[in-house]
Amino acid sequence: MKVIAVSNLKGGVGKTITATSMSYLLGVEKNKKVLVVDADQQANSTRTFGRFDPEGTGIMQLLEGENQITNLIQDTPYENIHILPSNMYLVRTNAHLMFSKDNQIDHLKEALEEIRRNYDYVICDCGLILDMTVLNVMMAADLLIIPVKAGGYGIEGAENLQEQIQEIRPDLDTKILMTMKAGNKINRDTEEWMKQNYGNRMFQTAIRRSVVVEKAETAFMPLPEFSKRSNPVKDYKEVIKEIIKK
């Protein structure tokens, strides 16, 4: 079982669309058993997979020790894909964990060990703050994917995240994924600069910009389900090949 975190401290870089697209492609097209962990209080991954309940249970009860992970995981309308959902109560959970005197950053890692044989991949969609929930994800992760919008401020967010993660998980494998790439010179120059600076810590594939991404988000549907032949979906398929090959 491989645990993949998708995170950036800057919003609007394609974090959730990356997590949900990868989950869909691995589960539906690659026939892998996938668990989506929604570690974001906005719960957009939970909405995308049709399991949002503002009063429901999920990762909150797991982190606070109120229930076991097997009782909190839900199925989704998509083959091979289960989800540990989230909602706004995650804000309260983070506050509770922050003021606890006990070790509170290994709950998710320990819980995932219990279900290791049940899944091939765990894809974690992280929030924009390095809070207690995201720290739990980082402690459990085997790979951190940082989406960076071409030509945006996401590069700074990626740098800040890597610096902070380095202190708690210096062994964590990290890969940069360029998103929302257009065909203009600024984007080409940005991609070239990133490849020079990040080298093999960057995916060879970049995700192209397309209006279908916004349409899929508005419809609360996984992008590969909404537009199977779009350029971003073709790109995410190449990213999946890079992950599986590694």
Side-chain angles (χ1 to χ4, degrees):
M1 184 180 79
K2 189 175 187 66
V3 183
I4 301 175
V6 183
S7 182
N8 193 325
L9 301 183
K10 176 70 176 68
V13 298
K15 176 180 60 63
T16 296
I17 208 76
T18 295
T20 54
S21 296
M22 288 174 50
S23 299
Y24 181 95
L25 292 171
L26 285 167
V28 176
E29 296 202 359
K30 296 297 184 181
N31 201 34
K32 303 295 185 181
K33 299 295 183 182
V34 178
L35 173 64
V36 180
V37 174
D38 197 340
D40 187 349
Q41 64 200 41
Q42 297 182 76
N44 289 330
S45 285
T46 302
R47 297 174 192 272
T48 299
F49 286 110
R51 289 296 176 260
F52 179 70
D53 181 351
E55 302 296 329
T57 58
I59 192 171
M60 303 76 65
Q61 287 72 24
L62 172 67
L63 296 180
E64 295 199 55
E66 297 176 1
N67 213 325
Q68 293 182 324
I69 190 169
T70 51
N71 297 327
L72 299 169
I73 291 173
Q74 299 182 27
D75 62 2
T76 74
Y78 304 99
E79 186 177 5
N80 296 322
I81 302 175
H82 293 166
I83 190 165
L84 180 61
S86 175
N87 57 40
M88 285 300 293
Y89 282 106
L90 190 56
V91 176
R92 183 183 64 183
T93 294
N94 278 303
H96 289 172
L97 297 180
M98 185 180 299
F99 291 106
S100 174
K101 295 181 180 179
D102 299 324
N103 174 23
Q104 300 293 342
I105 62 174
D106 288 324
H107 290 321
L108 181 62
K109 180 179 180 180
E110 293 169 356
L112 292 178
E113 283 296 324
E114 300 175 14
I115 57 171
R116 175 167 290 276
R117 296 185 178 181
N118 299 348
Y119 297 97
D120 299 302
Y121 290 91
V122 178
I123 310 295
C124 306
D125 182 13
C126 298
L128 300 177
I129 302 173
L130 200 58
D131 54 23
M132 298 300 291
T133 302
V134 176
L135 285 173
N136 265 268
V137 171
M138 296 305 168
M139 295 303 294
D142 302 303
L143 171 65
L144 167 61
I145 296 177
I146 307 179
V148 174
K149 180 181 177 181
Y153 292 107
I155 294 176
E156 182 179 0
E159 293 287 349
N160 290 338
L161 178 60
Q162 289 182 94
E163 289 176 5
Q164 296 184 56
I165 295 302
Q166 185 68 21
E167 297 182 8
I168 60 171
R169 281 292 309 277
D171 61 322
L172 180 57
D173 188 14
T174 302
K175 298 276 280 189
I176 303 295
L177 175 64
M178 186 176 182
T179 61
M180 306 183 197
K181 178 187 175 183
N184 56 54
K185 186 177 185 302
I186 293 177
N187 276 199
R188 290 195 297 270
D189 290 346
T190 301
E191 182 177 25
E192 183 61 29
W193 180 89
M194 290 171 65
K195 286 183 176 179
Q196 290 177 0
N197 281 269
Y198 293 114
N200 61 7
R201 292 187 295 133
M202 183 174 175
F203 283 98
Q204 293 300 307
T205 307
I207 310 300
R208 284 169 284 183
R209 183 190 300 273
S210 174
V211 68
V212 299
V213 172
E214 286 78 14
K215 290 181 178 180
E217 290 176 334
T218 302
F220 290 114
M221 289 178 60
L223 176 61
E225 173 77 4
F226 183 84
S227 182
K228 298 181 184 298
R229 296 179 177 84
S230 64
N231 285 334
V233 171
K234 294 176 183 177
D235 298 335
Y236 278 117
K237 288 182 178 181
E238 292 302 313
V239 171
I240 293 297
K241 288 180 182 179
E242 290 189 48
I243 291 174
I244 292 177
K245 181 179 179 180
K246 182 175 181 178

